[in-house]
Amino acid sequence: MRTYTNVKDLGGLKAAVKEALEIKKNRFAYKHLGENKTLLMVFFNSSLRTRLSTQKAGMNLGMNTMVLDINQGAWKLETERGVIMDGDKSEHILEAIPVMGSYCDIIGVRAFAQFENKEDDYNEKILNQFIQYSGRPVFSMEAATGHPLQAFADLITIEEYKKKARPKVVLTWAPHPKALPQAVPNSFADFMNEADVDFVITHPKGYELDPKFVRGTKVEYDQNKALEAADFVYAKNWAAYEEPNYGKILSKDRSWTVTTEKMGLTDTAYFMHCLPVRRNMIVSDDVIESPQSLVIPEAANREISAQTVLKRMLESL
Ligand code: CP
């Protein structure tokens, strides 16, 4: 595996989940693969889970791991070609990327959508430059339009907890005070569309996601209706995707917050969220603290999704 940016990079999804669950049973079985190999994790944005779980996954595989926080101590990077660099940016990304590549064997990149230019975000301008210029296998640790390590961990979690062969999984928009990217819902839809689940998306009008990720999924604008008979409720906020509102907040309607009453409409569904989560905006205290909440096992599975991807990349070196 040379790149990991979307569900297709995993090949057969059933085989990938099986491999992940085997790794989970014995996470140190492949320690030899990473001997004398270095993982570089490059962060343009903050992180708790991705940083720790991916570093742990690399260590489980015997790798040396290095972390670079671009905004804390590194030179400010220019990303546009042709710019006269007489401002505050000291280094061009076109030198920085191959230099980073020269110090490591595999690179993980976190670079969120900036909501300044939809085309730049949806062309994955930063991530794709790492793929093009680093000379190394590159995986997304949440880029502008996707968070495939999260979605893979979500799928592993659903596989572990499902009580029926084809569970109903509902992705619901929920309110948030800040404009958030569409990366998590995009990747969740990307994965659920390939998984053996009955997948439904619900959100207020105006929050339609990129059709590339939604594909044939049923979109139900009535949240209560969508939640009926759900086995898994996956809550997430995102800002508007469609122009002219790209990156904007259109609603903070707290009637979309996932509460005990809302969960009562489901078939005793499990609650999921990628974290970090704003309590009593996205989800009530009661729901996130309930026995049906999977947020902690879901986060723990980030180590397993990252380890499966890193193992495959190490095997292809
Ligand atoms: N879910 C997730 O990616 O968490 P972090 O932003 O803390 O890494």
Side-chain angles (χ1 to χ4, degrees), residues 144-296:
T145 66
H147 195 356
L149 286 177
Q150 180 64 53
F152 188 17
D154 297 333
L155 176 62
I156 295 165
T157 311
I158 289 169
E159 282 299 317
E160 288 180 314
Y161 284 86
K162 71 181 185 186
K163 292 180 189 140
K164 47 181 92 144
R166 193 175 164 81
K168 179 175 176 184
V169 178
V170 178
L171 167 64
T172 180
W173 179 93
H176 194 280
K178 287 176 151 182
L180 298 185
Q182 297 99 22
V184 169
N186 283 346
S187 281
F188 189 69
D190 196 28
F191 272 68
M192 289 305 112
N193 275 314
E194 302 303 318
D196 197 7
V197 300
D198 174 15
F199 183 45
V200 176
I201 301 175
T202 183
H203 56 71
K205 287 204 170 143
Y207 279 100
E208 288 74 14
L209 292 164
D210 183 348
K212 184 174 100 184
F213 299 101
V214 175
R215 303 201 272 274
T217 305
K218 180 181 166 60
V219 176
E220 170 58 68
Y221 293 105
D222 181 336
Q223 189 195 38
N224 290 348
K225 224 167 160 182
L227 291 174
E228 276 169 21
D231 299 295
F232 294 89
V233 175
Y234 195 98
K236 186 70 186 84
N237 172 270
W238 62 89
Y241 164 75
E242 296 287 358
E243 294 289 19
N245 293 319
Y246 178 66
K248 293 194 178 131
I249 296 174
L250 306 180
S251 167
K252 292 184 188 172
D253 181 357
R254 286 183 53 217
S255 74
W256 282 76
T257 301
V258 179
T259 59
T260 303
E261 193 187 7
K262 296 269 178 188
M263 291 300 280
L265 300 169
T266 71
D267 188 7
T268 333
Y270 288 109
F271 173 79
M272 300 180 75
H273 188 278
C274 62
L275 302 181
V277 71
R278 301 264 183 156
R279 282 181 177 222
N280 304 308
M281 286 294 293
I282 300 277
V283 58
S284 69
D285 290 323
D286 290 349
V287 170
I288 198 166
E289 291 170 6
S290 77
Q292 293 306 102
S293 172
L294 295 182
V295 296
I296 306 302

Side-chain angles (χ1 to χ4, degrees), residues 46-51 110 142 147 150 274-276 302:
S46 306
S47 168
L48 187 157
R49 280 143 291 274
T50 303
R51 184 177 188 138
R110 167 162 285 201
E142 187 171 345
H147 195 356
Q150 180 64 53
C274 62
L275 302 181
R302 290 292 308 277

Side-chain angles (χ1 to χ4, degrees), residues 38-40 66 98-105 136:
T38 299
L39 167 63
L40 171 61
M66 302 192 297
V99 168
M100 291 183 218
S102 74
Y103 301 140
C104 65
D105 299 282
R136 302 295 177 201

Side-chain angles (χ1 to χ4, degrees), residues 27-88:
R27 55 193 86 194
F28 303 109
Y30 300 95
K31 215 169 168 54
H32 57 283
L33 283 178
E35 194 183 358
N36 298 329
K37 296 284 187 284
T38 299
L39 167 63
L40 171 61
M41 300 159 64
V42 182
F43 287 91
F44 288 82
N45 308 94
S46 306
S47 168
L48 187 157
R49 280 143 291 274
T50 303
R51 184 177 188 138
L52 295 178
S53 62
T54 310
Q55 197 163 4
K56 177 67 163 55
M59 292 191 296
N60 292 349
L61 289 162
M63 299 185 84
N64 300 308
T65 61
M66 302 192 297
V67 178
L68 181 66
D69 285 309
I70 295 290
N71 298 319
Q72 285 172 17
W75 300 111
K76 270 196 174 177
L77 294 179
E78 176 58 62
T79 57
E80 296 293 331
R81 201 166 164 279
V83 166
I84 297 167
M85 289 175 60
D86 60 354
D88 64 338

